[in-house]
Amino acid sequence: MKKIIPENFLWGGAVAANQCEGAYLEGGKGLSPVDILPGGIPVRKEALADVRKTIETTYDYYPSHVSIDFFHRYKEDIKLFKEMGFKCLRTSICWARVFPNGDDLEPNEEGLKFYDSLIDELIKNGIEPVITINHFDTPLELTKKYGGWKNRKLIEFYTRYCEVLFNRYKGKVKYWMTFNEINMILHIPSFGGGLVFEDGENREQCMYQGAHYQLVASALATKIGHEIDPENMIGCMLAAGTVYPNTCHPNDILIAQAANRENYFFIDVQSKGEYPRYSERLFEEMGIKLDITDEDRKILKQNTVDYIGFSYYSSRLKSADPEVMKNIKPGNAFKTLGNPYLKESEWGWTIDPVGLRVTMNDLYDRYGKPLFIVENGLGAVDKVEADGSINDDYRIEYLKLHIEQMKEGIKDGVELIGYTPWGCIDLVSAGTGQMSKRYGFIYVDKDDNGVGTLERSRKKSFYWYKDVISANGENL
Ligand code: P53
């Protein structure tokens, strides 16, 4: 029988500096947005919503300061990734380790040394590094001094940072992503764009202006990356998940289409190199006037991405009926109705494996470029048994169903580079700051108050995923 998944498929896992490294002031690092955030619901959400206030506030506990201490324990962790048979690891570089203030003229050598060792350690273990250049990690100083990405100056600071990375890791890192979940700037603007709003400012204007500067910065990074090493594969990254209409009422179809466009907008620019025609009407209706130059347009046109990276946790559901929309679910960054045909996670996230296949086909139909599933997974509470074992059958079930649908997507004709489930080792949740919202194959002993030995142990899913990789996805 013909094998479905190609031999060179990049099986692995994904983490991000801001959620795993800790060591928040070590080696000359400056502050990242995450370093001033508390843990817990709803405090975290409030802190994310009003960063100016958060900067002035002192909290009892900051989950990112130690996090899972990946900064000191990466060698031990990489050994475990290797044991599972990882072909790649997706992680990010913390911008403020390399440029502590963001606008420094010279990089911080000590910060770079850490990434030299991390990347070398991965390569030594036969694990391909997949690097996100900015994962919710625009240096906090750039928010304080410039208001974040609504300022054009950030393009220059970001490209300076990119140039350092592309030169330094030439021949070592091939797969890059310029911005994690670039559409997140519309949903959590403080995280996605380091944005602060002045009173009375048009928020949509700020967010889309910030998005525009990020899109230009991303295209310039792609240009620089290709010039430094033509072998580089530079991708974008979308928080994906197709939006379904609540009913077959044409108005529901239309509103779901508009919601999908709100996400695709970013990738339309990054992959096709120009603003989609529908954006003109959108901007006009929102009273948005973009600062966009002919030079910007040229840069966007000439430097499109090599592949489309995306995260997929769930599909979404929207209605045109305001009455129905009153039932919108709280909690998630992406507002959605509950889908009566689907179950939810303990955190209320819809579980929709078939939606992964739908999303893959939508993205491939639209862009025709290789896709890379760089996040997927189930955030769940794990129980450590008296003998130390962790029987996370629910996680195995979630991943199994999604990998099955991923294979269907490949059979449908989608070119897929790899699959890196999120939080392959437990880490701090971006949305809630909790440790108890666990995604990992590897358990980390630490609770929501920061108490724990930080010791690592293998969950049942660890052995399961190891077998999945060794059979190249043939047996799930
Ligand atoms: P947490 C919301 C919705 C979809 C993706 O999220 C999201 C978020 C942010 O909460 O972000 C991605 O940790 C992101 C990761 C994040 C992961 O999803 O809130 O790229 O940084 O940890 C899961 O459960």
Side-chain angles (χ1 to χ4, degrees), residues 221-242:
T222 308
K223 177 178 186 325
I224 297 165
H226 285 152
E227 279 165 5
I228 291 174
D229 187 350
E231 292 288 301
N232 274 331
M233 287 285 285
I234 303 173
C236 53
M237 201 298 207
L238 176 76
T242 298

Side-chain angles (χ1 to χ4, degrees), residues 365-379:
D365 283 354
R366 198 168 177 113
Y367 303 114
K369 291 189 184 182
L371 305 183
F372 197 160
I373 303 172
V374 295
E375 282 183 34
N376 174 234
L378 178 71

Side-chain angles (χ1 to χ4, degrees), residues 19 135 180-181 184 313 332 349 375 422 429-431 437 439:
Q19 288 161 261
H135 191 125
N180 181 61
E181 297 188 336
M184 199 52 98
Y313 293 91
N332 197 343
W349 291 25
E375 282 183 34
W422 175 249
S429 155
K437 192 180 186 190
Y439 288 86

Side-chain angles (χ1 to χ4, degrees), residues 15-16 18-19 44 48 90 135-136 180-181 184 187-188 191 237 239-240 311-314 316 331-334 347 349 374-375 377 379 422-423 427-434 437 439:
V15 295
N18 81 101
Q19 288 161 261
R44 175 90 156 194
L48 279 163
R90 172 184 179 231
H135 191 125
F136 301 157
N180 181 61
E181 297 188 336
M184 199 52 98
H187 304 275
I188 314 181
F191 238 3
M237 201 298 207
S311 62
Y312 177 85
Y313 293 91
S314 51
R316 299 153 196 166
N332 197 343
F334 289 87
W347 271 263
W349 291 25
V374 295
E375 282 183 34
W422 175 249
L427 36 62
V428 179
S429 155
T432 71
Q434 293 167 307
K437 192 180 186 190
Y439 288 86

